[in-house]
């Protein structure tokens, strides 16, 4: 399908990207959203805002092809120069590039991954961007929107469906993580300014950090064991932790959005 001609919603921002920086979120998407992709009538996945080079779109296609060999990844960029620069990497129908913004160019994808895009917008612009993306999803579709550091060692993302935000995930390379509070710098745009005492997300970050400190005795078994113990402690304390230990061992924690939003 050719994207509809309409003015892309959004603004051109810095195009910084890096090979493999999105491996954590891609692994999570393949696992958490794999059923949705596998059952989709049209396996269209959009990588929104792929940046100065299309490398993370190329990687997304390869990672999701394991779940759905006929997956079609379309990289959408609001910067026409970056759309032109990506064309040599196109491999239709499995990998294509076009111009588009939060309206998703009139397409109806089953999954949208938008990474390090909203980070450069104002917090007040988040609800409209989310509504535009989720309003364009195919029935049962999901959007995964978040941010990470340059090398992808610290990351945070929100899962959204047609009803709005569902969950928040924080993920880290555990071997280089000093303490979970460091992940606060990768909190979502909608949360980062609220990471203070008295706000739900401030309580969540403090609880995770405290559980990590309390699990110090597990450090001799390795950072994975310590993280897994800390996340288990949060679940035992009543935090709505959604993923299971197999994801915790990857250095992830996923909680219900309602537990961290105002
Ligand atoms: C920092 S780069 C992120 C690249 C890649 N996603 C990554 O995480 O490595 C952000 C890109 O998003 C693009 N962008 C910003 N707003 C957008 C929008 N509303 N729709 C599509 N692309 C957008 C910018 O032009 C820029 O190239």
């Amino acid at each position: 399908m050719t994207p509809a001609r309409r003015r892309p919603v959004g603004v051109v921002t810095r195009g910084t990207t890096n090979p493999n920086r999105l491996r954590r979120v891609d692994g999570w998407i393949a696992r958490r959203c794999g059923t949705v992709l596998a059952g989709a009538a049209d396996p269209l996945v959009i990588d929104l805002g792929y940046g100065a080079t299309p490398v993370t779109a190329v990687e997304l296609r390869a990672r999701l092809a394991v779940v759905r060999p006929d997956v079609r990844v379309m990289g959408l960029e609001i910067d026409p120069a970056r759309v032109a620069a990506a064309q040599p990497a196109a491999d239709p129908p499995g990998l294509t590039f076009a111009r588009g913004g939060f309206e998703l160019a009139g397409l109806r994808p089953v999954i949208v991954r938008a990474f390090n895009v909203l980070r450069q917008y104002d917090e007040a612009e988040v609800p409209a961007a989310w509504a535009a993306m989720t309003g364009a999803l195919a029935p049962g579709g999901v959007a995964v929107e978040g941010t990470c550091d340059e090398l992808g060692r610290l990351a945070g993302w929100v899962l959204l469906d047609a009803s709005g935000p569902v969950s928040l995930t924080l993920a880290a390379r555990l071997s280089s993580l000093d303490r979970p509070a460091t992940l606060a710098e990768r909190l979502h745009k909608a949360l980062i300014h609220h990471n203070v005492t008295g706000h739900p997300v401030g309580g969540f970050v403090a609880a995770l950090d405290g559980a990590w400190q309390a699990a110090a005795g597990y450090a001799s078994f390795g950072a994975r064991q310590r993280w897994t113990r800390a996340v288990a402690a949060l679940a035992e304390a009543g935090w709505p932790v959604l993923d299971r230990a197999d994801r915790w061992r990857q250095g992830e924690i996923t909680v219900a959005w309602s537990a961290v939003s105002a």
Side-chain angles (χ1 to χ4, degrees), residues 238-256:
W239 286 92
V241 176
L242 299 182
D243 280 344
R244 304 227 177 111
D246 60 327
R247 298 313 308 178
W248 307 348
R249 279 192 289 275
Q250 304 298 318
E252 294 173 7
I253 179 169
T254 297
V255 286

Side-chain angles (χ1 to χ4, degrees), residues 9-18 21-22 47-52 56 76-79 82 100-102 113-117 120-121 148:
V9 177
V11 294
V12 176
T13 56
R14 283 188 307 278
T16 315
T17 189
N18 261 318
R21 82 187 295 214
L22 303 187
D47 182 17
L48 186 70
Y50 53 82
T56 60
L76 287 183
E77 243 295 337
I78 200 160
D79 181 347
R82 293 174 187 156
F102 293 127
R113 184 194 68 186
F115 240 71
N116 298 302
V117 175
Q120 299 178 66
Y121 286 73
C148 66

Side-chain angles (χ1 to χ4, degrees), residues 8-234:
V9 177
V11 294
V12 176
T13 56
R14 283 188 307 278
T16 315
T17 189
N18 261 318
N20 225 18
R21 82 187 295 214
L22 303 187
R23 62 194 178 282
R24 293 183 195 285
V25 66
D26 288 355
W28 190 88
I29 290 172
R31 179 64 185 263
R32 170 64 179 77
C33 312
T35 308
V36 172
L37 178 60
D42 177 7
L44 175 63
V45 175
I46 286 184
D47 182 17
L48 186 70
Y50 53 82
T53 75
V55 62
T56 60
V58 173
E59 293 168 349
L60 182 64
R61 184 221 189 165
R63 288 167 182 150
L64 294 186
V66 175
V67 177
R68 179 85 188 237
D70 61 343
V71 65
R72 294 190 298 118
V73 171
M74 177 176 282
L76 287 183
E77 243 295 337
I78 200 160
D79 181 347
R82 293 174 187 156
V83 177
Q87 295 309 325
D91 180 20
L95 183 62
T96 53
F97 300 97
R99 186 150 185 250
F102 293 127
E103 82 298 340
L104 306 183
L107 298 165
R108 303 286 282 171
V110 66
I111 297 175
V112 178
R113 184 194 68 186
F115 240 71
N116 298 302
V117 175
L118 268 174
R119 183 82 173 173
Q120 299 178 66
Y121 286 73
D122 288 338
E123 182 185 349
E125 296 174 279
V126 170
W130 279 359
M133 288 190 284
T134 57
L137 293 170
V142 293
V144 179
E145 189 268 304
T147 182
C148 66
D149 66 353
E150 283 201 3
L151 298 179
R153 292 176 177 175
L154 301 170
W157 59 83
V158 178
L159 174 75
L160 303 115
D161 64 17
S163 68
V166 173
S167 62
L168 171 75
T169 299
L170 298 180
R173 179 179 187 252
L174 293 177
S175 58
S176 56
L177 183 70
D178 54 353
R179 55 189 297 179
T182 305
L183 277 159
E185 69 191 56
R186 291 294 138 192
L187 275 175
H188 190 272
K189 192 86 202 181
L191 298 174
I192 195 164
H193 304 302
H194 305 284
N195 181 27
V196 292
T197 307
H199 191 284
V201 73
F204 170 65
V205 172
L208 182 58
D209 210 50
W212 171 263
Q213 303 303 341
Y218 287 75
S220 56
F221 302 111
R224 277 175 194 252
Q225 292 291 333
R226 184 177 180 179
W227 177 270
T228 299
R229 180 57 218 144
V231 177
L234 253 63

